[in-house]
Amino acid sequence: MILNASGCLDALAAPEVARSLDAFVTKTVTPQPRQGNRPVRIAETEHGMLNSIGLENPGIEALVAEKLPRLVELGVPIWVSVGGFAATDFAELCAALDERDEVTAIELNLSCPNVDEAPESAAEIVVAARAETRKPLYAKLSPAAADVAEVARAVQAAGADGLSLVNTMRGLVLDTHSLEPTLGTETGGYSGPALKPIALAAVFRCYRATGMPIVGMGGITTGRDALEFLAAGASVVALGTVLFADPEAPARVQAELMTELSARGLDQPEDACGISHRAAATTVA
Amino acid sequence: MEGVGAYTLLRVERGGLEPGVPGQFFMVEAPGRLLPRPMSLCLAPAGELGFLLEGVGPGTRALCEVEPGERLYVFGPLGNGFRLDVERPLLVGGGIGIAPFPYVAQALGDPPVLLGFRSERHAEAAVLLPNAAVVVEPTYVTEPLAELVEDHDVLACGPEPMLEAVRALAPTAQLAWEAPMACGYGACYGCSVEIDGVLKRLCIDGPILEAA
Ligand SMILES: Cc1cc2nc3c(=O)[nH]c(=O)nc-3n(C[C@H](O)[C@H](O)[C@H](O)COP(=O)(O)OP(=O)(O)OC[C@H]3O[C@@H](n4cnc5c(N)ncnc54)[C@H](O)[C@@H]3O)c2cc1C
Ligand SMILES: Cc1cc2nc3c(=O)[nH]c(=O)nc-3n(C[C@H](O)[C@H](O)[C@H](O)COP(=O)(O)O)c2cc1C
Ligand code: FES
C-alpha cells in the first residue's frame, strides 16, 4: 500500500496524483488556521531538501466544512494528519474528526521540527487523543528522539494503533555567497534520500520493539527503497519529497516494487513485511 | 543547446507535452539534482519546447551543460499564463526576464518590447525579439517605460526590484513573479507569497499576477 507523506501533496490541486495512491494523507491540520512561516521556505541540499513551511493550513473547521466534502469525491480513503501545541489541541482535533465517516484514520503529528513542541510527552498526547476517538490512531514520530523505540513502546501503551516513521530532522543550509541561513526560519526539516538510512533504522527498531503496523517513509524514491522499508517492518510506505520531482512516482514505485517482490518469489507486499528480522529471530536449538 | 549572449537556449522534443499559454512554466529536471527547476516556456517551434537559461546556481548550471540526446523529465505546462486579451500590449523584460516573451510576442503578433540588461553581452539575447528597444545598465527599463506607460497594457517579467518599479508606474500591469519552488503543482507550499493579505501558492495562483 502506498500513501503520500503528510504535507507533500494537495489532493485538491492534483487530484490525479491523489487517485494514484491507496490513501491520501492531508497536510497537518491545527485547531486554528495558520499562515505558516515567512519565506524562504525550501532549500535543496546535496542529498535532500530542507523545508520550513510551518504547518500552513486552514484550521480544522475549514478542513471539515470545505475540504473534506471535496476530498471524499476523489474516491480515495482519507487520513487526516493533526497537530497542535498541547495535548488538549490533539484531543479537540480528534473529537472533531471522530464522527466523520469519510475519515479512515488519524495521524498524530508529534514531531514537526518547524513548530514549537507540545509540553506533554508523546504518550500523554496519545492518551488525550485516544479518549476522543475510536478511529485508528497513527503516531508520527521524530527520528531525532534519543530512543525512538522507547517512544514507540510508550505510545503503544497509551493506545496508539500504529506508527508513522519518520518525520523530518532539523537541518541548516547556508547561502553560497553570504553564508547566512537560506531559510527564513534559519533551520528547517531535512527530508529526501539522505533520511533513508535513519528512517529505516527507526522502522526496524520500532517494529522489533512493538510489532505495531508501521507507515514507513523517509527518502523513498524507488521500488527497491519501498521493499527495504517493508523488509524492515513497515506494512505501508509513504512518498514525500520524491513527489515534487516526480508526480507519477506512486504508480512507478508500485510497479518497481512488484518487480522486486516477484524477483524474490514473493506474491504481494505483505509477504515482505518484517523479513529483515528473520535472521535475528533464529535461535540455535 | 546554443548560447544566446550570456544565456543558453535549451530545446527539447515536445513529445506529448502541450506548450500551454504564454507565461506558463514547466518544471525541468536538473541533472544530478534532487528537485526540478521552474522554467518559463520561451519558444514553441514545431515539435519542440525551448527554454532560455541563466546559469546562476547548481541546477541551472547543470541544465546549461546537458548534451543532445540526454533524457530530461519535463512537467507542465503549469500555473497561469499572461492574459492576452489586451488591446495595446507592451512587453517589459529585465535580464533573464526576457525568457517568456518570444512565445508571448508570437501569440500577440509582435507587440512593442522594452528590454533591459546588465551588460552588452547579456543584451545579445535581444536577438530573440528583433523589434525590441534595448537599454543596458546604468539605464533601467523603467526610464523609457515612463514615457510609454500611459498608452499601453504592460506585461512584465524580471527581477523583483524591477517588477516593483514597473508596478509603481503601471498599476494595471501583469507581472510575472518568482519564488523558490520545489514542486510547481501546489504540493509543497514552498512558494507561498502574500497577495492582498492572503497567502497564495505562486505556482498555482501565479506566477502571473495583476499588479493592482
Ligand atoms: C515561474 C518561474 C519561471 C522561471 N523561468 C526561468 C527561465 O525561463 N529561465 C531561467 O533561467 N530561470 C527561470 N526561473 C528562475 C530559475 O528557476 C532559478 O534561477 C533556478 O531555480 C535556480 O536554481 P539553481 O540551482 O541554478 O540556483 P540556486 O542555487 O537555487 O539559486 C541561485 C541564486 O538564485 C536565488 N534563487 C533561486 N531560485 C530563485 C527564485 N525562484 N526566485 C528568486 N531567487 C531565486 C537563490 O537565492 C540564489 O541566490 C524561473 C523561476 C520561476 C519561479
Ligand atoms: C515540504 C514538506 C512539508 C511537510 N509537511 C508536513 C506536515 O504538514 N506534517 C507532517 O507530519 N509531516 C510533514 N512533512 C514530513 C513528511 O511527511 C515526511 O515525514 C518527510 O518528508 C520524510 O519523507 P520523504 O523523505 O519521503 O520526504 C513535510 C515534508 C516536506 C518536505
Ligand atoms: S512550488 Fe510547491 S506549492 Fe508551489
Side-chain angles (χ1 to χ4, degrees), chain A residues 7-10 13-14 17 27 35 39-42 44-46 48-49 53 56 67 193 241 243-248, chain B residues 32-37 56 58 73 75 180-183 185-192 194 197-201 204:
Chain A
C8 298
L9 184 68
D10 177 354
V17 180
K27 180 158 183 66
Q35 290 261 315
V40 172
R41 290 177 167 192
I42 48 175
E44 194 192 50
T45 69
E46 285 307 312
M49 67 175 281
I53 310 302
E56 178 180 338
K67 299 218 166 178
T241 302
L243 290 172
F244 304 153
D246 182 6
E248 293 167 86
Chain B
R33 308 299 305 180
L34 179 70
L35 299 173
R37 298 299 194 268
V56 295
Y73 187 79
F75 181 63
M181 293 183 178
C183 72
Y185 68 98
C188 73
Y189 283 81
C191 64
S192 285
E194 203 176 309
V198 189
L199 276 182
K200 304 230 167 166
R201 281 165 286 176
I204 52 175

Side-chain angles (χ1 to χ4, degrees), chain A residues 45-100:
Chain A
T45 69
E46 285 307 312
H47 305 289
M49 67 175 281
L50 294 191
N51 86 82
S52 64
I53 310 302
L55 302 188
E56 178 180 338
N57 81 88
I60 186 71
E61 233 181 271
L63 178 98
V64 169
E66 291 156 33
K67 299 218 166 178
L68 273 186
R70 293 169 59 204
L71 287 170
V72 174
E73 287 171 16
L74 295 168
V76 176
I78 296 162
W79 293 31
V80 177
S81 166
V82 301
F85 308 95
T88 49
D89 289 345
F90 286 87
E92 178 190 336
L93 291 157
C94 289
L97 294 168
D98 185 52
E99 308 255 294
R100 311 300 306 202

Side-chain angles (χ1 to χ4, degrees), chain B residues 24-192:
Chain B
Q24 284 191 291
F25 66 98
F26 289 76
M27 292 302 280
V28 181
E29 175 187 357
R33 308 299 305 180
L34 179 70
L35 299 173
R37 298 299 194 268
M39 291 293 153
S40 310
L41 187 66
C42 176
L43 292 166
E48 292 184 352
L49 299 175
F51 301 97
L52 191 68
L53 310 172
E54 177 170 24
V56 295
T60 47
R61 279 200 292 270
L63 271 171
C64 287
E65 278 158 27
V66 297
E67 300 283 344
E70 251 179 78
R71 298 204 48 89
L72 281 183
Y73 187 79
V74 176
F75 181 63
L78 298 163
N80 299 310
F82 287 104
R83 229 178 358 89
L84 298 177
D85 58 348
V86 287
E87 281 176 14
R88 308 153 306 168
L90 170 65
L91 313 184
V92 181
I96 187 63
I98 185 182
F101 287 140
Y103 185 41
V104 174
Q106 189 191 331
L108 288 176
D110 287 322
V113 185
L114 270 182
L115 297 174
F117 293 96
R118 63 174 175 276
S119 79
E120 294 292 344
R121 196 165 114 71
H122 289 86
E124 287 170 34
V127 297
L128 295 169
L129 287 158
N131 295 338
V134 179
V135 296
V136 175
E137 280 180 29
T139 310
Y140 289 118
V141 276
T142 36
E143 237 172 83
L145 175 63
E147 287 163 25
L148 297 168
V149 71
E150 280 296 311
D151 313 316
H152 288 96
D153 304 303
V154 173
L155 285 65
C157 183
E160 204 168 310
M162 183 200 105
L163 295 181
E164 295 293 357
V166 169
R167 165 152 68 178
L169 287 171
T172 59
Q174 300 181 56
L175 306 175
W177 296 93
E178 280 193 14
M181 293 183 178
C183 72
Y185 68 98
C188 73
Y189 283 81
C191 64
S192 285

Side-chain angles (χ1 to χ4, degrees), chain A residues 4-8 26-29 41-42 49-53 55-56 81-82 107-112 114 140 165-168 189-193 195-196 217-221 238-242 244, chain B residues 182 187-190:
Chain A
N4 64 295
S6 172
C8 298
T26 68
K27 180 158 183 66
T28 298
V29 62
R41 290 177 167 192
I42 48 175
M49 67 175 281
L50 294 191
N51 86 82
S52 64
I53 310 302
L55 302 188
E56 178 180 338
S81 166
V82 301
E107 188 173 82
L108 305 171
N109 181 356
L110 304 174
S111 49
C112 182
N114 290 320
K140 185 163 180 181
L165 299 168
V166 292
N167 211 318
T168 54
Y190 193 27
S191 67
L195 204 54
K196 189 184 124 183
M217 71 193 100
I220 298 177
T221 309
L239 306 181
T241 302
V242 68
F244 304 153
Chain B
C188 73
Y189 283 81

